[in-house]
Amino acid sequence: MNPLVKKAFALLNAGWLTIAAISSQAQVSQMPAYPLITHNTYFSVWSNTDKLNESVTHHWTGKDQPLVGVLRVDGHYYRFMGKAAPQYKNLLETGDETMYPAHYLLETPPAADWYQPTFDDKGWKTGKGPFGDDRGPVGTTWKGKDIWVRRTFNLSQIPDGKIVLKAFHDDDAEIYLNGQLIAQLPGANNDLEAITLTPTAKAALTTGLNLLAIHCKNTGGGTWIDAGLSEEVPDQPADDIDAANQTWVNVTATQTTYMFQCGIVNLKVKFTSPLILTDLDLLASPISYISYEVSSSDGATHDVSIYQGVSSDLAVNKPFQPVKTSVASKLGITTLRVGSVEQPVLQKRGDDLRIDWGYLSVGVPAGYKQKQYVTSENDAIASFVKGNFATAADSGRRLMLNTVLNIGRVGSGPMTAYVMLGYDDIYSIQYFGTNLRPWWRNTPGATMEGELSRAAKNYQKVMAECNATDKKIYGDALTAGGENYAKLCVMAYRQSIAAHQLVKSPQGELLFLSKENFSNGSINTVDVTYPSAPLYLRYNPDLLKGMLNGIFYYSESGKWAKPLAAHDLGTYPLANGQTYGEDMPVEECGNMVILTAAIVNAQNNAEYAKLHWKTLTTWVNYLTEAGFDPGNQLCTDDFAGHLAHNANLSVKAIVGIAAYAEMAKRLGETATYEKYTKLAKEMSANWIAKDNAGDHFSLVYGNTDSWSQKYNMVWDKVLGLNLFPRSVYDTEIKWYLAHQNKFGLPLDSRKTYTKSDWILWTATMTDNQADFEKLIDPVYKYATETPTRVPLSDWHETTDGKQVGFQARSVVGGYWMKELRKN
């Protein structure tokens, strides 16, 4: 046999043997986005492509947070992780870097040729851009309906590379370059977005004076316009690096593992975030691991080293923010550290934000013959290829923290190494005026250096605990609901947990506070806690208490004076009081009562209810007065608008009243138990009569042509309340099965979009495993086939599987509802 052919067969066989050896551990191989580093809403890095080396890694919001990995084998280089983020050279700067001069006109439309270079704008106002409201640093305040902006710039020559338009618009914008329309941008995009110009648009550039003309129309809400032009700078040195061949990916509850073929060396890369719900110390740990395993596939030995780059963008909200780095060796760990120069601790609040205070650390145990140094992002890989391991810059923008691990001679026996990534946010949450440290800092004298050292010493133990957790999470779900259900739970696990932050209140209570990701940025939203709850009820109900404690405190301290439950505690990370503009009275009162009863049921102990009995009584009395036929209120599905006579919201009130009665029974309050049980039974009977549409039950009372998922009814089954007869469930399930689309059951008859968490609740109402699978299989199809590559969205279109809104939210914890049902 030809020696080259023989060698190829050997490589192929080695690859298949490797895959066969680990296939029994395989759980999830396809997701919309893959979790890499997942701790909380700020320390959260994902890969949005099926192959780890096909794209830049991102924060869950979609902003670039590059992790880059390269393997050197005998002088050959293979990129296995990420890409460097695109670099740009300004032609016309935008407001993220500087405030710039411009001519502008407000409200009154200009002459028709206002966007032409020959137009005379001497009568226009002069000011600084960007233009807009108070959401960020603004050059000129604009809060009206229309604005027209003209900016000029000079070019000595036409750039050779790609030209991108950077635009941040709220709302509709049209942009012209030297009189040619180059972009029409509908709606609001919430941040600067890079749009590559077409060749025709680029051809509008000229040497000498150029004009960028912009019109922005505010259609409602906030206002903002900022636009400029840049040239994309190509990566270097692309010619020296091959892409590693990814052969396998596997996602489990706490780990994401990739396998690559790098020439004649096999490489396994594993990301581990030890989010173990039964171990608060590990759950709160700020450390993730990136582990590497290398082995020869041809029987010979080879010289191997690993390059790992981590961008300073993980420590800033915007890449233009300057950072400062340092290097240290302490407690057996060498560490690169980076943080913003400004350090604006807890100074920003909102949704589409990343942390820009505290410090990111990249730690390596001593003994790996490691080199750690800092370069610009654009020079990082070149420094590894050229063997230039000296720090080129300890401050600046868009730096790369570089670690080189010299593995040495590698044969067929695997050799291993790992690095650790940790984030010290110093203070995590502001809680009614008091800044709270992350949970791990509750230990006196706790430092990031100490956490890194402890994480290194416990590496093998942590890996074993994560492996056991992964096996349990998958196995429990497999037993409860089947293979596709188990895979959905694995997909949801880290996402749900990492949308929270664990802290201790000044009163000494555990707080596990969610962020309403890509919704409105609220902190500790009750109707986000409600759908998230099943995961935590299943594995650690004390964490669900941590999701309710702040809301109880808000009412019981007198800071929230209304006789109903608040919607939220503020806008993340500032939990200083509700900021959402409207209450959801039946929704939130029902949620708080039901979840308290669920905790009592899970722990078989009514002490938590007893602690808050007065408040619960106030809320349940509201439900008795207003819950059966709710007025024109919002519910958790507020994106669908106000809805009067909402039958599913009525179910929530009825279930809440019955759940309160069950808690009263456990507390020995027999009269209260009998009173509210009787009331709930009467209300459920009236509901059946009032909402019955024959072959289904309506979305709203009186409209028999409407229908909706009655997902709130699932608690009747889970808590054993016996409010609704089997005939009601059978009627609804039969209707749902007949009204599914390719990617799931619509939320209700108004639209074809859905919420996947509610489908999982609705499916749990059936007593038939086959029907359960028929309802959840389209959700699995959505999760594995959606064209929208972002962390799992819980709000998607059932006809084409595209994201409608929301992503990376904690509510996918609701997928565990099936595991709560025991009967």
Side-chain angles (χ1 to χ4, degrees):
M1 180 182 289
N2 183 301
L4 291 176
V5 175
K6 185 176 181 180
K7 187 174 185 178
F9 272 109
L11 291 173
L12 180 62
N13 288 335
W16 279 110
L17 286 171
T18 301
I19 293 172
I22 57 178
S23 62
S24 62
Q25 304 169 15
Q27 293 185 8
V28 172
S29 60
Q30 181 71 47
M31 292 181 64
Y34 298 81
L36 305 179
I37 309 294
T38 47
H39 287 270
N40 53 53
T41 187
Y42 286 136
F43 194 26
S44 181
V45 185
W46 298 68
S47 173
N48 290 359
T49 49
D50 295 324
K51 293 187 176 180
L52 182 59
N53 55 7
E54 281 186 338
S55 65
V56 180
T57 55
H58 299 90
H59 185 260
W60 68 261
T61 56
K63 298 301 185 291
D64 295 343
Q65 292 196 336
L67 304 176
V68 179
V70 177
L71 190 74
R72 184 182 64 81
V73 180
D74 297 334
H76 298 280
Y77 296 86
Y78 302 89
R79 178 173 49 80
F80 60 85
M81 184 188 305
K83 289 182 177 180
Q87 302 288 313
Y88 299 102
K89 177 182 178 182
N90 284 334
L91 306 180
L92 185 63
E93 57 274 290
T94 46
D96 59 342
E97 297 194 38
T98 186
M99 294 182 184
Y100 49 80
H103 285 78
Y104 70 97
L105 184 69
L106 300 176
E107 306 309 326
T108 303
D113 62 343
W114 68 273
Y115 54 86
Q116 295 290 348
T118 54
F119 177 77
D120 185 357
D121 59 13
K122 290 181 181 178
W124 289 29
K125 295 181 179 180
T126 57
K128 296 283 188 179
F131 301 83
D133 51 32
D134 57 1
R135 73 185 68 185
V138 63
T140 301
T141 298
W142 164 57
K143 296 183 179 180
K145 288 294 183 183
D146 288 274
I147 186 170
W148 292 262
V149 180
R150 287 169 56 93
R151 302 184 62 192
T152 58
F153 61 102
N154 280 283
L155 291 179
S156 58
Q157 64 181 34
I158 306 300
D160 294 327
K162 292 180 181 178
I163 304 300
V164 298
L165 168 69
K166 291 184 176 180
F168 179 177
H169 55 96
D170 187 356
D171 294 290
D172 303 341
E174 54 183 0
I175 302 176
Y176 299 82
L177 177 59
N178 292 329
Q180 179 179 318
L181 180 65
I182 61 171
Q184 286 185 297
L185 308 173
N189 64 349
N190 298 316
D191 204 348
L192 282 169
E193 180 181 0
I195 304 163
T196 301
L197 295 191
T198 65
T200 301
K202 180 182 176 181
L205 287 170
T206 184
T207 56
L209 190 66
N210 291 263
L211 170 73
L212 192 71
I214 307 133
H215 171 220
C216 186
K217 185 176 187 64
N218 172 31
T219 59
T223 51
W224 197 269
I225 187 63
D226 183 18
L229 294 170
S230 298
E231 178 186 9
E232 185 173 328
V233 179
D235 293 339
Q236 297 292 336
D239 294 339
D240 299 324
I241 305 290
D242 292 323
N245 178 29
Q246 182 178 308
T247 59
W248 192 73
V249 60
N250 183 43
V251 179
T252 56
T254 66
Q255 302 177 88
T256 301
T257 305
Y258 297 88
M259 294 197 68
F260 302 91
Q261 201 167 40
C262 303
I264 48 182
V265 166
N266 296 321
L267 169 67
K268 181 166 75 172
V269 180
K270 181 170 63 177
F271 297 85
T272 305
S273 295
L275 303 184
I276 298 177
L277 292 172
T278 54
D279 185 334
L280 289 188
D281 286 341
L282 267 183
L283 178 65
S285 169
I287 310 297
S288 273
Y289 304 89
I290 307 177
S291 306
Y292 318 91
E293 180 182 298
V294 290
S295 62
S296 167
S297 61
D298 68 350
T301 62
H302 302 279
D303 186 49
V304 173
S305 58
I306 298 170
Y307 165 84
Q308 180 64 63
V310 180
S311 172
S312 65
D313 287 357
L314 272 72
V316 291
N317 179 43
K318 306 275 190 178
F320 70 85
Q321 291 179 270
V323 298
K324 186 169 180 59
T325 69
S326 62
V327 61
S329 181
K330 192 174 182 181
L331 300 177
I333 307 294
T334 62
T335 306
L336 285 171
R337 191 177 85 147
V338 65
S340 70
V341 171
E342 184 185 4
Q343 289 296 305
V345 178
L346 295 171
Q347 293 301 301
K348 296 181 178 70
R349 65 174 187 171
D351 192 359
D352 189 5
L353 292 175
R354 289 134 304 276
I355 196 167
D356 58 2
W357 71 90
Y359 297 92
L360 170 72
S361 293
V362 181
V364 185
Y368 283 145
K369 299 180 182 178
Q370 65 267 28
K371 302 287 186 181
Q372 289 192 293
Y373 60 101
V374 181
T375 64
S376 69
E377 278 189 18
N378 209 37
D379 294 332
I381 294 178
S383 71
F384 176 53
V385 172
K386 295 174 182 177
N388 182 7
F389 304 148
T391 289
D394 62 1
S395 61
R397 297 177 175 87
R398 303 203 81 160
L399 303 182
M400 189 70 86
L401 308 186
N402 306 298
T403 299
V404 177
L405 306 175
N406 183 11
I407 305 301
R409 303 298 297 180
V410 173
S412 57
M415 298 185 69
T416 61
Y418 65 90
V419 300
M420 298 171 287
L421 273 63
Y423 207 100
D424 181 3
D425 52 3
I426 306 173
Y427 289 100
S428 300
I429 300 291
Q430 188 173 96
Y431 184 72
F432 296 103
T434 300
N435 291 349
L436 304 182
R437 294 193 181 276
W439 184 273
W440 63 271
R441 277 193 171 272
N442 290 330
T443 302
T447 63
M448 177 54 70
E449 293 85 356
E451 288 298 299
L452 287 166
S453 178
R454 185 164 71 115
K457 290 175 183 176
N458 293 335
Y459 174 75
Q460 295 296 342
K461 178 183 176 183
V462 170
M463 292 298 136
E465 289 189 46
C466 287
N467 289 338
T469 296
D470 294 347
K471 182 178 179 180
K472 180 172 178 54
I473 295 298
Y474 185 80
D476 288 348
L478 184 66
T479 300
E483 184 178 7
N484 286 350
Y485 174 69
K487 289 182 176 182
L488 284 170
C489 288
V490 168
M491 293 182 202
Y493 185 83
R494 270 177 280 172
Q495 174 173 312
S496 181
I497 298 169
H500 297 84
Q501 178 65 302
L502 186 65
V503 293
K504 183 181 287 187
S505 77
Q507 294 75 35
E509 290 186 314
L510 183 152
L511 298 173
F512 193 49
L513 303 176
S514 66
K515 179 176 180 177
E516 197 170 339
N517 289 345
F518 263 30
S519 179
N520 66 359
S522 291
I523 186 170
N524 204 195
T525 304
V526 176
D527 57 284
V528 168
T529 294
Y530 179 67
S532 305
L535 170 58
Y536 308 98
L537 282 166
R538 177 68 177 87
Y539 290 108
N540 190 346
D542 284 341
L543 288 170
L544 181 54
K545 291 179 184 177
M547 298 156 77
L548 305 187
N549 286 338
I551 299 295
F552 278 123
Y553 171 77
Y554 193 19
S555 283
E556 292 164 0
S557 66
K559 299 177 187 298
W560 176 256
K562 297 180 182 180
L564 47 94
H567 170 271
D568 60 78
L569 291 184
T571 302
Y572 200 93
L574 306 184
N576 294 323
Q578 180 172 312
T579 51
Y580 191 73
E582 187 172 348
D583 298 329
M584 298 183 184
V586 172
E587 175 71 39
E588 310 303 19
C589 288
N591 292 342
M592 290 296 293
V593 174
I594 292 169
L595 293 181
T596 303
I599 291 170
V600 168
N601 183 67
Q603 296 188 323
N604 196 26
N605 187 315
E607 285 303 308
Y608 191 67
K610 183 178 180 180
L611 185 65
H612 302 292
W613 195 242
K614 181 178 179 181
T615 305
L616 291 167
T617 300
T618 299
W619 292 341
V620 85
N621 284 338
Y622 175 81
L623 296 179
T624 65
E625 296 167 4
F628 178 72
D629 190 358
N632 195 31
Q633 296 188 9
L634 287 174
C635 70
T636 184
D637 304 317
D638 54 352
F639 51 84
H642 292 76
L643 188 66
H645 318 300
N646 183 336
N648 187 46
L649 189 59
S650 176
V651 170
K652 178 169 288 185
I654 296 166
V655 169
I657 292 165
Y660 174 82
E662 289 297 315
M663 290 188 285
K665 182 179 181 181
R666 287 178 180 265
L667 290 171
E669 297 191 10
T670 303
T672 301
Y673 161 71
E674 292 175 349
K675 172 185 174 182
Y676 286 93
T677 297
K678 181 173 183 281
L679 178 60
K681 295 281 188 181
E682 290 172 351
M683 291 173 72
S684 64
N686 291 337
W687 184 93
I688 293 169
K690 190 177 181 70
D691 199 50
N692 196 335
D695 56 358
H696 69 282
F697 291 84
S698 300
L699 165 68
V700 295
Y701 294 143
N703 183 355
T704 57
D705 292 331
S706 68
W707 63 271
S708 65
Q709 293 186 45
K710 308 300 188 302
Y711 54 80
N712 286 318
M713 204 176 282
V714 72
W715 293 106
D716 182 38
K717 296 277 191 179
V718 170
L719 298 178
L721 302 175
N722 299 314
L723 294 169
F724 297 93
R726 179 168 181 172
S727 60
V728 171
Y729 293 99
D730 289 346
T731 297
E732 284 292 271
I733 294 299
K734 183 179 179 180
W735 179 269
Y736 299 151
L737 290 172
H739 288 80
Q740 293 197 97
N741 290 324
K742 182 178 180 180
F743 294 100
L745 176 67
L747 179 65
D748 58 48
S749 53
R750 290 174 291 178
K751 301 281 187 179
T752 55
Y753 59 56
T754 195
K755 292 281 274 83
S756 60
D757 46 342
W758 297 146
I759 292 180
L760 270 291
W761 287 34
T762 296
T764 300
M765 298 191 311
T766 180
D767 295 328
N768 184 308
Q769 177 64 20
D771 288 346
F772 174 79
E773 292 179 4
K774 288 176 184 176
L775 287 165
I776 68 106
D777 283 353
V779 178
Y780 178 74
K781 184 177 182 66
Y782 153 71
T784 55
E785 296 183 15
T786 176
T788 311
R789 305 309 298 268
V790 298
L792 194 60
S793 170
D794 55 284
W795 182 17
H796 73 268
E797 177 54 62
T798 63
T799 56
D800 59 17
K802 292 181 180 179
Q803 174 191 32
V804 177
F806 307 156
Q807 66 195 51
R809 300 209 309 165
S810 67
V811 301
V812 292
Y815 289 5
W816 273 262
M817 182 59 85
K818 175 66 171 174
E819 295 192 41
L820 298 184
R821 186 173 172 187
K822 304 303 181 184
N823 60 324

